[in-house]
Each structure stands twice: as C-alpha cells, then as structure tokens.
Amino acid sequence: MKIIKPIEDLKSAQFILIPFLQDEVDYDLITEITGIKGKPDFSGKFKQINTLPGVEGDKTLYLVGLGKEKDLSQAHEAFRWISHKRNKAWKGSITLYLDHLDSSLLYSAIYGLVLSKYDIGSLKSGKRSSNSFLNNEVECHIYSKTYNESLAVEARATARTVNAIKALVDAPSNIKNPEYLANWAIDSGSRFGFKATIFDKTQLEEQGFHALLAVGQGSNSEPRLIQMEYKPEGKGDYPILALVGKGITFDTGGLSIKPSDNMHHMKSDMGGAAAVFGAIELAAKLKLPIQLIGVVASAENAVDANSIRPGDVINSYSGKTIEVIDTDAEGRLVLADAINYTIKAFNPDQIIDLATLTGSSIGTLGYTAAAMFSDNEDLKDALSDIGFETHERVWPLPLFDDFKSDLHSDIADIRNYSGKPIAGAITAAKFLEVFAEDHPAWLHLDIAGVAYSDSSYAKMKSATGYGVRLLTEYIKSIIE
Ligand code: BES
Ligand code: ZN
Ligand code: ZN
C-alpha cells in the first residue's frame, strides 16, 4: 500500500471493508450502502467475515467482526485475517469505512492489512506473485471524519518492520548466522539512521567477551556482538534506554544436545535479537526522541570437537567464572556478557533484555505471554499495561533469593544450571541478575513462548514479531 488517502464519498469505492464490534452492527448503514434490506447473518464476532454485493453489483462489501470491546487490542488480527482470506480479489483500491468507530481503529486496520503482506514462502522456487494487493498496486482509501495521516503512516511503518523481523526469525540457519545478523543491523542502520558497530571474534577476544566466545566456539560461523546506537537529531537531554537481545542463530543444545524432533524450531532462538533490531529500526524510522542502545550477542550453539563441554569452567566479560553444567543453557551465557558490557559501556537509565531463554517459561505461561522479571515495580507496571494494549502480553514471575543457592558452584563463581527440573525460567533470570550487577532498572523478558508459535496463517510454527510493538509503545510512553 504505497498510497493511503482519505475519501469523502463511496461512489467510486469498489471493495469496502466495514468493521463492527460484536452486537453493535449497524444494519441500517449496511442497507444504505448495499441496498439490501433485511439483516445479513453477521453479529460482529471476532474475525467473522461476511461478503455482500453492493446495490449496482459494482461493489463488494466486507463486514469485518472486531469482537467485544475487550478484544480491541487485537483488532489488527481481524484486518490481517480478512486480507489473508480475501485479498486476491482486490484490485485498484480498497476502502476502509471507519466513520462509526474510534479513531484508533485506523491504526489497527492499516497495521493488520500490511501485516498480511508477509510471505512465509519466500524461499519457494519459481513463483512471482501476480496478486496486486501484495504487490503494492492497491491504494487504500479511508472514509472517516477523524482521519489522521500520521497514525496511518506509523501503522504502515510498524507493520513493515514487523514483517522484516518475522522474515529474519523464520529464515533458516544455513542462511542466518551471526555475520548475517550483523549485516542486517548495518543495512537497517544505513537505511533508517542509526549506527551499527560490529565486534568480530578478534575484537571479542581483545575485550574479554569470554562467555559469548565459549558458546560460539563449536561453530564455523564465528560469534559477533552487534551494537546499535540511535540518537535523535539535535541536542537535548534524552533518557538512555538499552535493549539487549539473545541472538543464537541455531541452538542444537551443544554437547548437551537436544532431541531432534523439534530441533528445527531452534532457528528462532534469535527472537530476542530480532525484537531489539525491530525496536531500534522503528525508533529511527519514527524519529522518536530517545537515546537507544541495542546490543545483540550472537553465536551458533553447535556440536563439534571444539564445543564447550558440560563441566567446563569459563570466564566472562564481568570477570566472574562460570561452571557450564549444561551447554544447552547457552542463552544466559551470551546474555551475561551482553548485559554486563551494556551496563558498563553505556550506563543506561533502563535496560531491558529479551531472550527465547527457557522451555520452562512456556511450561508456565504457554504461548500467551512473556515471563517478566524485575525488582523495579514501576518498570514492570508500565510494561504490563503496554503488553495488554498491544496484545504483546507480559506476566511477572519472582526473583526470590531462595533460588540463589541453586546456582552455587563449588569450583567457580556460579554455575549455569541448577540441575533441577523446576522453576527453570526463574533460575535463568537469577543467573542474569548476577551480571546486571544491581542495576536499578533492569528488566528481563523470557519470550520463548511468544516469539515463535502456531497461528492460523501457516501450518508450521512461525515468527510472531513479538516485542517490536511492545518496546516501541513503551519507548513512546516514557517520552510522553
Ligand atoms: N533456546 C532454548 C529455550 C527454548 C526452548 C526456546 C523452547 C524456545 C522453545 C534454551 O537455550 C534452552 O535450551 N534452555 C534450556 C535450559 C536448561 C538446559 C537449563 C531449557 O529450557 O530446557
Ligand atoms: Zn539452549
Ligand atoms: Zn537457546
């Protein structure tokens, strides 16, 4: 959708989308547009679609169910769904009839429609789509008294970044290695205006990123630390927010190897990194007045003669030594270095890390919410609210000191796994806490269940784009 524009009458409209809240369907309005008397079989249930012909047979009318008021945080899904189901028919222009609804629906509609353009099958051979909606040949017309251009533009920009992030998470690991992630950041930075600095293996060695190097030492693809800095133009006293992401481009488990049944999903073990990339790209696109630091620790956790072994003791950026009980608990190792480095190098006001860190977080919350850890109650409350607003939900779990002793090592400063099959998301967070060294505004999100999951748009599990909107709306909330 290159062109989004307001219109004042429906005369030339061909494909008209009219959304309704459940049980708030305005049948008179439908009759006015279609000329059809009598009530169509449509109650406005979430994602319900009803297709009607117009008066002269020259229009097609789509009734779109938004569900109840409480479903409005997911209204974009209704638009994504109708486009997924119907866009092959769309030519020329589509018209969004939004006059009867809250002005925020404009955002949901554009966001959802543009999300539907994501193509999970981009690696299939020999296909060029002749679908004019997907090829950006269809204009989007808005019929609404409250049309707000900047909201529409923001929704489109956000969806485009989310789609790019999904492509990155869904990309297979023979394409996507740490260097690929680094190049992605460089490219995005040069297109949208942020600085990307890459530490290669030699620089990581010189600077003492021992834990990141240890995780990557079994792979032919060397690890990278990807540092991104976004500053608004002009001078000003802006708060510094640091975002840190786990960027494991494939997690075999290492020598503590995973069972093979679901191992292919582990290409998505860089979902935290992807969310950080997305948030920084979008902040730069939208020119948000904040200083953002993004740090991604990227490595491949591979099985090899050079891989770290269970029982090995490694060093870390912080200087603390770590006994590696389980090489599959690699995310916390790379994050230990990234979090510690970020705090020391930038002294951020706030630091949020995102990681597909534990199966245990899925055991606890399923695929509904990220597990959230922090001692900073204000930060947790703010993220919790924004999680509900964006439907990228977070749910708190405790950082009780009762779990500290689980990470006791007799031979090193700490060990990376308790050896017990309980409270795994919490002990992982307790491990990270040590490397955040009492930062007063550190918050950890375990996004293992929400970054990559089943959906009605694909037969396999696929990327969700989780975190991009959550972080972006959070950033907007602190600068308000
Ligand atoms: N990348 C995994 C966590 C994961 C599991 C993400 C399922 C997405 C879906 C992580 O590195 C891991 O393997 N964690 C282990 C830790 C354990 C060995 C202490 C886990 O959760 O089992
Ligand atoms: Zn692992
Ligand atoms: Zn992992």
Side-chain angles (χ1 to χ4, degrees):
M1 253 149 25
K2 284 219 171 54
I3 297 167
I4 306 173
K5 65 175 191 193
I7 52 152
E8 268 154 26
D9 66 66
L10 298 176
K11 262 189 240 117
S12 62
Q14 259 189 297
F15 303 97
I16 308 175
L17 279 65
I18 311 190
F20 288 107
L21 278 160
Q22 185 164 348
D23 304 325
E24 291 184 23
V25 183
D26 183 345
Y27 296 102
D28 293 340
L29 176 63
I30 297 170
T31 303
E32 201 180 299
I33 298 170
T34 59
I36 299 173
K37 300 214 167 60
K39 290 184 178 177
D41 180 19
F42 178 80
S43 63
K45 265 200 328 249
F46 186 49
K47 287 168 86 175
Q48 187 183 5
I49 300 174
N50 195 325
T51 310
L52 302 170
V55 204
E56 319 273 320
D58 60 337
K59 297 190 194 314
T60 308
L61 203 72
Y62 301 98
L63 310 181
V64 184
L66 297 176
K68 304 231 161 95
E69 196 88 36
K70 69 171 172 47
D71 299 319
L72 278 177
S73 66
Q74 316 179 58
H76 58 274
E77 282 297 328
F79 293 94
R80 183 181 170 202
W81 184 241
I82 186 172
S83 171
H84 179 73
K85 289 295 198 197
R86 297 284 186 271
N87 77 51
K88 283 186 199 66
W90 298 348
K91 305 259 162 0
S93 68
I94 55 170
T95 301
L96 287 168
Y97 189 104
L98 300 172
D99 214 24
H100 56 308
L101 291 164
D102 188 87
S103 57
S104 65
L105 257 299
L106 174 66
Y107 183 100
S108 308
I110 303 280
Y111 181 59
L113 290 173
V114 178
L115 283 183
S116 76
K117 291 168 179 262
Y118 174 60
D119 175 15
I120 197 172
S122 64
L123 297 174
K124 286 179 190 284
S125 64
K127 66 158 204 180
R128 278 261 41 97
S129 162
S130 59
N131 179 322
S132 52
F133 181 73
L134 299 187
N135 289 338
N136 271 334
E137 291 154 13
V138 174
E139 292 187 5
C140 184
H141 298 173
I142 315 290
Y143 185 93
S144 165
K145 281 190 281 296
T146 58
Y147 177 68
N148 171 341
E149 179 168 5
S150 66
L151 194 64
V153 168
E154 181 179 332
R156 179 176 58 189
T158 305
R160 285 179 175 168
T161 289
V162 169
N163 288 344
I165 290 314
K166 287 185 182 179
L168 195 57
V169 175
D170 283 329
S173 300
N174 57 331
I175 294 179
K176 170 178 70 185
N177 59 19
E179 189 185 2
Y180 184 94
L181 291 192
N183 287 334
W184 196 99
I186 293 169
D187 180 55
S188 169
S190 64
R191 284 168 60 204
F192 299 109
F194 63 85
K195 183 173 156 200
T197 313
I198 313 301
F199 299 180
D200 64 13
K201 188 179 172 206
T202 316
Q203 286 153 316
L204 293 173
E205 281 165 354
E206 281 164 9
Q207 298 202 42
F209 287 87
H210 305 290
L212 173 57
L213 286 161
V215 170
Q217 76 192 27
S219 171
N220 284 334
S221 304
E222 292 174 351
R224 295 282 187 278
L225 186 109
I226 304 161
Q227 175 174 303
M228 293 154 284
E229 291 162 84
Y230 163 73
K231 284 195 187 84
E233 278 160 22
K235 290 207 164 46
D237 210 7
Y238 303 106
I240 307 182
L241 170 65
L243 303 173
V244 177
K246 169 177 172 182
I248 298 296
T249 58
F250 195 75
D251 182 11
T252 62
L255 294 181
S256 314
I257 194 165
K258 288 180 180 296
S260 61
D261 346 6
N262 287 317
M263 202 198 270
H264 57 291
H265 296 319
M266 284 301 120
K267 68 178 183 181
S268 66
D269 210 15
M270 34 59 74
V276 172
F277 285 159
I280 297 207
E281 176 174 291
L282 202 48
K285 267 193 198 176
L286 302 176
K287 300 199 185 326
L288 298 181
I290 187 165
Q291 276 198 68
L292 268 188
I293 307 294
V295 173
V296 161
S298 185
E300 184 187 9
N301 189 20
V303 182
D304 185 81
N306 294 314
S307 298
I308 40 167
R309 289 159 290 253
D312 282 3
V313 174
I314 62 173
N315 200 349
S316 67
Y317 187 85
S318 72
K320 292 191 175 72
T321 57
I322 305 167
E323 183 184 9
V324 180
I325 302 294
D326 194 313
T327 64
D328 197 11
E330 85 298 340
R332 63 197 75 181
L333 300 177
V334 305
L335 283 175
D337 277 3
I339 292 171
N340 201 258
Y341 165 75
T342 303
I343 291 171
K344 286 179 178 151
F346 296 100
N347 189 23
D349 297 300
Q350 301 182 355
I351 173 165
I352 300 177
D353 78 79
L354 297 97
T356 48
L357 204 61
T358 67
S360 160
S361 71
I362 309 178
T364 309
L365 298 169
Y367 299 94
T368 62
M372 171 171 69
F373 300 86
S374 179
D375 280 336
N376 187 313
E377 299 300 326
D378 293 341
L379 194 49
K380 276 197 287 194
D381 288 347
L383 270 146
S384 175
D385 288 349
I386 288 161
F388 286 119
E389 281 163 27
T390 57
H391 203 67
E392 296 186 1
R393 290 169 293 181
V394 299
W395 197 258
L397 289 179
L399 283 167
F400 296 148
D401 277 339
D402 310 50
F403 293 99
K404 246 182 174 170
S405 58
D406 283 333
L407 297 171
H408 167 85
S409 166
D410 285 335
I411 62 170
D413 296 329
I414 191 168
R415 62 178 180 176
N416 78 333
Y417 175 46
S418 67
K420 295 188 219 161
I422 54 167
I426 302 177
T427 47
K430 287 304 280 183
F431 182 91
L432 298 181
E433 185 185 39
V434 170
F435 297 89
E437 292 179 350
D438 295 321
H439 190 286
W442 163 69
L443 182 139
H444 160 58
L445 292 177
D446 190 336
I447 62 169
V450 286
Y452 189 77
S453 65
D454 290 318
S455 78
S456 29
Y457 303 94
K459 295 202 168 61
M460 61 185 276
K461 281 191 197 295
S462 58
T464 62
Y466 181 95
V468 178
R469 273 201 75 206
L470 176 74
L471 293 171
T472 307
E473 293 300 331
Y474 175 65
I475 293 166
K476 283 163 65 183
S477 79
I478 47 180
I479 57 193
E480 255 160 25

